[in-house]
Amino acid sequence: MHGLLSPDGIGRLRDALARADFTTTGIAARIGPAATAAVRRGDLRAALRATADGDPLATLIRLFVCGQAEDEARTAAALAPLVLADAVAAGLVERHHDGLQAGVELEPYHDWWVVSDLSASMRPGRPLPADHVLGVGGASTTLAGATIRRPVGTALDLGTGCGVQALHLSTHAGRVTATDLSERALRFAATTAALSGQEWELLAGDMAAPVAGRRFDLVVSNPPFVVGPGTTTHTYRDSGRPGDAVCAELAQAARHLLADGGTMQFLANWLHVAGEDWRDRVAGWVAGTGLDAWVIEREASDPVGYVRLWLADAAEPDNTETAAETAATWLDWFDANKIEAVGLGLVTLRAAGHDDPTVRVEELRQPVDQPLGPHIEAWFDRQEWLRAQDLLAQRLSAAQGLQLHQEATKGPDSWQVDRQLLALPDGLRWVEQIDPLVLALVSGCDGGLALRDQIVVLAAAHDVDEATMAGVAVPIVAHLVERGMLLPVEG
Ligand SMILES: C[S@@+](CC[C@H](N)C(=O)[O-])C[C@H]1O[C@@H](n2cnc3c(N)ncnc32)[C@H](O)[C@@H]1O
């Protein structure tokens, strides 16, 4: 797969970018923190003031960060040793009546450069074309942050687009494979890889077809998950499958894609259909796969908000007759299929080889400490630990900083406790309502006594037999371990 430039051209462009220090740190140092923050808000004034000099870094910032037209001499000097004619031929810059402008998004990202189509803000007033190749966006960084970064032999980025996930995979995978339906996207990914000094296997094709029969230690995907009637207007968001079928297909594909012990993580949207529990629907995606699954719903959107969001995402004008018709057709489809909302979240699947896999589908709406990846990894580790142990024989301790929140109402004589909540102060920040018995249990988890001995004491205090107390306590303790509120004591 060829990039936008020849290997020699890529080398020259890389030299130009490195020499000018067109990097995240170089740009921030040049324009300062206030202008950097303002650029993120779409306010370019301070960045333009800081780059009036016309030196190569200033010119690159004006071209590729601010979307300005620059004159021929400055652009040629900024891109040298890449020949300007080659940059124009590759579409990196375009000739306009007022000078040269960026033809692609060229974004410093961590220690790399990512090349993609111009974002909506760099092409004001023009809707995104059907074959638009996305740059690094909120969904990209969400998935990147949620990915488990343990060293692996082989990794696959399915639907690579500009190659952002593949870049991250290259930091901990021996070999990276990236696929996309769009040949155009693969050309951008090839350019991103070459410019960032990486080598990936790039394959074209639909979903898992290009890697049929192969298995990977890690698979990540930010797929075209947008739900709708199954018509494709934009390749980056529409799969051509109706409803949430593309995500169901990915989940089913995981069993053939994952090596033993392998993990697959993908962003997904799912339907909340009237009369159906969305959790059952999503759990159904992995039924029969033999994979452990943790699915978290971060938010849910009502149909009107959802359609508006995605029309705006493609910079489609919302005040024309066509836009109104598109929105109405989309919303009619929601109505006809009794869809009340769309859930947005993350699916993590693990080929752990269990006959009775754990499948957990739940909401995780609270703000969490980023990145999410280590918390997801720890969740799967705790699940494995729970499987391997006789919990009654284990000593447990409360998580560092675990808090007890009480709500109480003042009575005539004293406070009456209405609600008690255990709260994790960091990480996934779970909050669990508990009763006095569970509080006693958690209070006793100081790493000293095995759970069985704690239960003996509690059973005696409550005048119930130990087996009954254990029957109640063990599932609750297992749940608190799963949530990371109680932790195993080693040794
Ligand atoms: C939302 S973009 C994700 C891009 C990038 N991986 C990221 O994280 O930002 C989805 C990508 O999936 C690709 N795609 C769309 N339909 C596909 C299909 N049927 N099979 C494989 N890739 C597909 C699109 O071309 C696009 O590059």
Side-chain angles (χ1 to χ4, degrees), residues 41-177:
R41 296 192 303 270
D43 177 2
L44 304 174
R45 292 168 304 151
L48 290 172
R49 277 196 299 275
T51 53
D53 300 355
D55 59 279
L57 178 57
T59 303
L60 290 171
I61 293 172
R62 292 171 80 88
L63 278 168
F64 293 108
V65 178
C66 302
Q68 300 298 298
E70 289 292 295
D71 72 33
E72 186 116 358
R74 282 184 176 184
T75 307
L79 291 172
L82 181 64
V83 176
L84 183 59
D86 291 346
V88 173
L92 290 185
V93 286
E94 293 172 348
R95 286 206 161 82
H96 290 255
H97 67 278
D98 51 352
L100 285 140
Q101 279 188 22
V104 297
E105 201 88 31
L106 174 52
E107 185 185 357
Y109 176 71
H110 293 259
D111 294 335
W112 310 296
W113 290 283
V114 174
V115 187
S116 63
D117 270 324
L118 288 177
S119 63
S121 64
M122 292 277 276
R123 31 176 300 137
R126 287 184 290 163
L128 299 183
D131 61 355
H132 178 78
V133 177
L134 274 188
V136 180
S140 326
T141 51
T142 297
L143 177 61
T147 301
I148 297 171
R149 300 279 172 211
R150 60 168 67 142
V152 291
T154 54
L156 168 68
D157 173 15
L158 197 155
T160 191
C162 61
V164 50
Q165 307 303 332
L167 281 173
H168 285 283
L169 292 176
S170 67
T171 62
H172 61 113
R175 182 176 159 87
V176 175
T177 302

Side-chain angles (χ1 to χ4, degrees), residues 123-302:
R123 31 176 300 137
R126 287 184 290 163
L128 299 183
D131 61 355
H132 178 78
V133 177
L134 274 188
V136 180
S140 326
T141 51
T142 297
L143 177 61
T147 301
I148 297 171
R149 300 279 172 211
R150 60 168 67 142
V152 291
T154 54
L156 168 68
D157 173 15
L158 197 155
T160 191
C162 61
V164 50
Q165 307 303 332
L167 281 173
H168 285 283
L169 292 176
S170 67
T171 62
H172 61 113
R175 182 176 159 87
V176 175
T177 302
T179 67
D180 207 289
L181 182 68
S182 154
E183 296 270 356
R184 179 177 169 76
L186 288 169
R187 288 188 71 212
F188 279 105
T191 313
T192 295
L195 203 50
S196 303
Q198 317 250 327
E199 273 185 35
W200 311 329
E201 180 188 25
L202 291 166
L203 301 172
D206 184 30
M207 301 298 283
V211 288
R214 291 174 56 184
R215 291 183 184 270
F216 299 85
D217 300 315
L218 177 63
V219 180
V220 298
S221 185
N222 172 11
F225 51 62
V226 175
V227 305
T231 41
T232 301
T233 60
H234 291 84
T235 326
Y236 77 83
R237 67 166 199 214
D238 308 313
S239 66
R241 277 88 167 157
D244 49 15
V246 70
C247 293
E249 186 177 326
L250 262 182
Q252 283 289 322
R255 76 166 107 181
H256 305 296
L257 282 175
L258 291 179
D260 290 347
T263 303
M264 175 158 172
Q265 298 190 271
F266 61 96
L267 298 182
N269 281 189
W270 42 77
L271 304 178
H272 287 214
V273 180
E276 176 186 281
D277 188 332
W278 69 269
R279 294 170 195 80
D280 295 341
R281 178 183 189 85
V282 177
W285 293 355
V286 288
T289 60
L291 301 169
D292 288 339
W294 190 26
V295 180
I296 49 179
E297 183 178 85
R298 294 295 282 145
E299 57 182 295
S301 171
D302 67 278

Side-chain angles (χ1 to χ4, degrees), residues 402-418:
L402 185 67
Q403 296 171 345
L404 174 67
H405 298 179
Q406 286 188 329
E407 289 173 16
T409 307
K410 180 79 175 75
D413 304 321
S414 61
W415 289 96
Q416 182 67 42
V417 176
D418 304 318

Side-chain angles (χ1 to χ4, degrees), residues 281-330:
R281 178 183 189 85
V282 177
W285 293 355
V286 288
T289 60
L291 301 169
D292 288 339
W294 190 26
V295 180
I296 49 179
E297 183 178 85
R298 294 295 282 145
E299 57 182 295
S301 171
D302 67 278
V304 173
Y306 188 82
V307 166
R308 274 204 194 124
L309 172 86
W310 285 108
L311 291 179
D313 187 76
E316 290 174 39
D318 56 7
N319 54 357
T320 64
E321 217 169 285
T322 325
E325 267 170 34
T326 309
T329 309
W330 203 341

